[in-house]
Amino acid sequence: MDSGKLHISVPVSRNRVISKLPKWYTPESCLQFKEDFHGKVKGACQNRHTRSGGLNISKVVVVGDLYVGKTCLINRFCKDVFDRDYKATIGVDFEIERFEIAGVPHTLQIWDTAGQEKFKCIASAYYRGAQVIVTVFDLADIKTLEHTRQWLQDALKENENTSPNIFLVGTKRDLLSPAECERTENDAIRIASEMQAEYWSVSAKTGQNVQEFFFRMAALAFEESMLRELENSSLSTARIGEANVIRIDENAEAPQSKRTAEPGLGCC
Ligand SMILES: Nc1nc2c(ncn2[C@@H]2O[C@H](COP(=O)(O)OP(=O)(O)OP(=O)(O)O)[C@@H](O)[C@H]2O)c(=O)[nH]1
Ligand SMILES: [Mg+2]
């Protein structure tokens, strides 16, 4: 063991293993048509060369109007549950999801923010450092789609020097007929292309497209993070541990699962 480092071997659950780059939702809604990971990333994964020693984390921030279904979407993926009763998110919550992608461990830190206006300034304090921004709207409530531009603008303001991956996600697909869904999707895809976002329609209630969306997002975030790391470490590379090994700095603050920020601090 390296001095000052603690090695923890925790297996990634079998349903979080991604071996190939997952496909887009539809070709019209997609920005990246490649069928496989970038050649440099595949090479690095095969040789298991990264600098991070396997502690590879992407921060995902989920934003959108109140009641659009952000929390339900995250809970469907992370816990495979659906709650029909509305419980507003107070400030922010977060979930940690660990994956093995192309044989390399990768973690998503998923920040679920409150849509209610009174919590906006608490939530926006957590936008900084996002590698992925997920802008969510309700397919059955068209004005929530119009508001996504503002949500994205606010999230990007806190990430000016980076280029986060952007997704636009329409929820509650189960509430719409196929014809209604198609009409709203056409509008959403137009807005997504203005935002330079990839578009997905999902239902947290039925689970439709939820895993597919999170796998695609995790894989693209992983690829970006690997490319960034390869660029930064072209001279000094270190061999990472075997897959499923996470190396944690003892001095680093350990992330806790599901933490709720205290409301009432600061400006709101
Ligand atoms: N039919 C249906 N209802 C959904 C779906 N997703 C969420 N809902 C319902 O929509 C309501 C709001 O869901 P939440 O996930 O709490 O909404 P939110 O965006 O997190 O809201 P805030 O935390 O206030 O920002 C709840 O009553 C859910 O049961 C879905 O896919 N289908
Ligand atoms: Mg919520």
Side-chain angles (χ1 to χ4, degrees):
M1 186 187 293
D2 297 349
S3 64
K5 302 277 184 191
L6 171 69
H7 293 239
I8 305 174
S9 182
V10 193
V12 170
S13 100
R14 250 192 278 157
N15 59 2
R16 293 290 181 261
V17 174
I18 301 173
S19 46
K20 286 175 62 185
L21 181 63
K23 270 240 153 78
W24 47 81
Y25 170 57
T26 64
E28 301 77 47
S29 60
C30 162
L31 302 173
Q32 306 194 40
F33 287 102
K34 55 195 185 215
E35 299 277 342
D36 204 350
F37 291 111
H38 192 290
K40 279 188 191 168
V41 171
K42 279 202 315 191
C45 292
Q46 273 154 15
N47 299 326
R48 303 214 187 293
H49 275 77
T50 76
R51 250 179 42 166
S52 60
L55 187 59
N56 210 328
I57 296 182
S58 297
K59 177 175 179 177
V60 179
V61 173
V62 183
V63 296
D65 280 2
L66 73 153
Y67 203 76
V68 295
K70 300 179 293 298
T71 301
C72 286
L73 172 63
I74 295 166
N75 286 345
R76 168 58 80 192
F77 180 68
C78 297
K79 301 173 184 161
D80 201 16
V81 295
F82 174 74
D83 187 352
R84 69 174 61 208
D85 299 324
Y86 173 50
K87 293 181 201 81
T89 302
I90 314 290
V92 290
D93 285 338
F94 81 78
E95 292 286 343
I96 299 286
E97 274 296 324
R98 296 181 49 247
F99 294 82
E100 185 192 300
I101 307 178
V104 173
H106 191 80
T107 299
L108 288 189
Q109 194 185 62
I110 306 168
W111 291 84
D112 176 18
T113 68
Q116 286 192 25
E117 191 60 39
K118 63 182 170 184
F119 299 128
K120 207 169 169 188
C121 62
I122 298 173
S124 62
Y126 293 84
Y127 292 170
R128 189 156 303 167
Q131 277 86 38
V132 180
I133 298 170
V134 181
T135 319
V136 180
F137 73 99
D138 178 347
L139 281 160
D141 181 358
I142 198 72
K143 69 178 184 307
T144 64
L145 172 60
E146 287 154 22
H147 298 162
T148 54
R149 287 192 183 94
Q150 187 60 50
W151 282 105
L152 178 63
Q153 205 176 313
D154 293 347
L156 286 175
K157 220 185 290 166
E158 299 296 329
N159 292 284
E160 272 175 345
N161 299 322
T162 56
S163 310
N165 255 325
I166 302 165
F167 292 86
L168 178 65
V169 177
T171 55
K172 310 191 189 180
R173 192 182 165 151
D174 57 284
L175 294 179
L176 280 80
S177 68
E180 285 169 326
C181 187
E182 200 185 321
R183 267 198 304 277
T184 309
E185 277 190 351
N186 287 339
D187 291 341
I189 287 169
R190 188 175 38 78
I191 292 179
S193 93
E194 281 171 27
M195 289 175 163
Q196 310 225 321
E198 178 167 311
Y199 176 73
W200 282 77
S201 285
V202 302
S203 167
K205 186 174 179 186
T206 64
Q208 187 180 9
N209 293 335
V210 172
Q211 169 153 322
E212 289 85 345
F213 162 64
F214 275 94
F215 272 32
R216 170 90 174 159
M217 183 239 281
L220 289 174
F222 163 77
E223 184 181 51
E224 284 268 329
S225 116
M226 287 287 281
L227 284 171
R228 220 174 18 247
E229 190 178 303
L230 287 167
E231 241 170 63
N232 293 340
S233 66
S234 50
L235 291 176
S236 61
T237 54
R239 199 174 195 291
I240 69 162
E242 297 306 313
N244 303 342
V245 174
I246 281 193
R247 183 180 295 176
I248 295 173
D249 188 333
E250 279 172 338
N251 297 322
E253 201 180 302
Q256 299 162 13
S257 183
K258 206 75 182 171
R259 190 170 63 188
T260 302
E262 290 293 324
L265 293 174
C267 47
C268 297

